[in-house]
Amino acid sequence: MKKEELSLLEEKCRRVRRLIIKEIGHLGTGHVGGSLSEVEALVLLYNKVMNIDVKNPKMEGRDRFVLSKGHGGPGLYAVLAEKGYIKEEDLYTLNQPNTKLPSHCDMNKTNGIDMTTGSLGQGISCAVGMAMASNIRKDGAYIYAMVGDGECQEGQVWESALAASSFKLNNLIAFVDFNKLQLDGPLTEIIEMSPMDKKWESFGWNVINVNGHSLEEIDSAIEAAKMQHKPTMIVLHTIKGKGVSFIEEMGFKNHSMSLTKEQIEKALEELK
Ligand SMILES: Cc1ncc(C[n+]2csc(CCOP(=O)(O)OP(=O)(O)O)c2C)c(N)n1
Ligand SMILES: [Mg+2]
């Protein structure tokens, strides 16, 4: 990736993180940690990788993205607002009555959302179906999806993993946001998921480990994934709450948290 492009995307990541804080801060509470940890992959997909057209959001044969960890909706909405699918002011209606932006993604409500998610395990299963549909149509689309590491404790994820490799879905490129934390605590204290890469490998996927906050590493991994004859899982080693020190330090308690006026100011100061 060229230097200028990299710094442009890094600036977008900072802007998106600021929007996430303002968006959830306006409501007062929400899924802060998992929205902040997914930012680099989403910014890269929507601004460099995916064949999409913001002026024609339902374009036939477009690439699709499924946020299987649907509670990370506020993070994706910030990316969509930055890109122009929705207005910034829409962000300040997050999870309020009659909003277009429910806390979990809804394809019938939000421009730019390709699949309704929130019940963990279902999004990745839909992505498998979408990749199969694209193969039947021969439209050349790539289907991208992101699961949470806690989400991988859900059995349905592994049924979809089996199906994807069995059907050799090389047009399916997925990410796991491996922040090592879920809602109730560290994965090690709930259900251990390490070694995450070996699990996906054993289910027949091509697996690439990357620093999930490195745009360059994620970009190269996606390029490599496109050369494969099977589905790829890019394991994003991330930090839940990435970008704001006091939120990172809270650990799993940042999964769904409230934000005071003072905390919002402090966070925005760090993200300048
Ligand atoms: C089937 C199902 N079970 C439980 C939940 C409740 N839930 C919402 S988020 C979450 C934790 C998810 O953790 P993880 O996948 O690690 O997400 P991240 O760390 O990226 O926020 C749980 C248990 C749910 N949404 N769906
Ligand atoms: Mg997690």
Side-chain angles (χ1 to χ4, degrees):
M1 200 186 312
K2 290 208 181 94
K3 256 195 170 161
E4 306 86 71
E5 188 172 30
L6 179 62
S7 59
L8 208 92
L9 290 169
E10 282 170 349
E11 179 50 35
K12 278 190 197 292
C13 290
R14 214 170 7 255
R15 274 213 296 279
V16 163
R17 285 198 164 90
R18 288 174 63 81
L19 287 176
I20 292 170
I21 295 296
K22 284 159 73 179
E23 172 190 14
I24 298 178
H26 185 83
L27 180 66
T29 181
H31 291 111
V32 176
S35 289
L36 288 172
S37 65
E38 71 200 15
V39 169
E40 277 78 12
L42 269 53
V43 164
L44 189 72
L45 284 176
Y46 280 85
N47 294 284
K48 179 170 190 288
V49 173
M50 287 205 293
N51 174 31
I52 47 174
D53 181 358
V54 65
K55 293 196 194 78
N56 184 9
K58 300 276 182 206
M59 180 174 77
E60 263 188 49
R62 69 186 184 281
D63 291 346
R64 321 247 173 165
F65 175 67
V66 178
L67 185 63
S68 193
K69 44 166 273 189
H71 59 281
L76 179 52
Y77 302 152
V79 173
L80 294 179
E82 209 277 334
K83 182 86 183 162
Y85 280 95
I86 55 176
K87 297 193 197 107
E88 182 180 334
E89 65 208 55
D90 292 336
L91 296 177
Y92 308 119
T93 68
L94 177 71
N95 211 17
Q96 289 170 43
N98 301 319
T99 185
K100 287 188 267 183
L101 306 181
S103 74
H104 299 65
C105 299
D106 187 332
M107 66 189 287
N108 297 311
K109 292 210 164 102
T110 314
N111 190 33
I113 295 288
D114 286 322
M115 184 45 69
T116 300
T117 52
S119 188
L120 300 173
Q122 294 189 355
I124 184 71
S125 308
C126 291
V128 168
M130 289 157 79
M132 290 174 74
S134 167
N135 281 346
I136 292 165
R137 278 199 224 110
K138 298 192 173 50
D139 63 8
Y142 279 97
I143 310 301
Y144 298 92
M146 184 185 287
V147 291
D149 50 3
E151 180 177 8
C152 292
Q153 296 169 336
E154 181 68 50
Q156 184 175 346
V157 169
W158 302 101
E159 292 181 48
S160 68
L162 285 173
S165 59
S166 177
F167 296 124
K168 301 188 175 53
L169 298 177
N170 63 340
N171 57 340
L172 177 63
I173 301 178
F175 304 88
V176 53
D177 187 350
F178 196 19
N179 54 30
K180 328 290 189 290
L181 302 170
Q182 54 114 294
L183 183 158
D184 289 307
L187 301 191
T188 49
E189 290 175 19
I190 299 173
I191 295 179
E192 176 61 284
M193 294 308 293
S194 292
M196 183 66 88
D197 49 359
K198 296 279 178 289
K199 286 186 175 60
W200 286 95
E201 250 166 48
S202 72
F203 274 69
W205 288 50
N206 172 48
V207 180
I208 307 172
N209 283 287
V210 299
N211 171 352
H213 301 303
S214 163
L215 291 159
E216 284 178 299
E217 284 190 30
I218 304 169
D219 192 39
S220 308
I222 294 170
E223 290 289 315
K226 289 184 174 174
M227 314 297 282
Q228 286 287 324
H229 298 289
K230 43 176 151 174
T232 290
M233 177 54 78
I234 299 173
V235 180
L236 303 169
H237 292 264
T238 55
I239 295 168
K240 201 157 176 168
K242 175 71 180 176
V244 184
S245 55
F246 75 91
I247 299 178
E248 289 182 17
E249 283 157 19
M250 287 170 70
F252 78 90
K253 296 209 165 117
N254 72 23
H255 178 80
S256 178
M257 61 179 280
S258 55
L259 281 169
T260 63
K261 208 166 156 258
E262 292 70 36
Q263 285 176 321
I264 295 168
E265 277 166 20
K266 205 171 153 201
L268 292 178
E269 190 58 39
E270 272 195 45
L271 293 167
K272 259 194 177 153

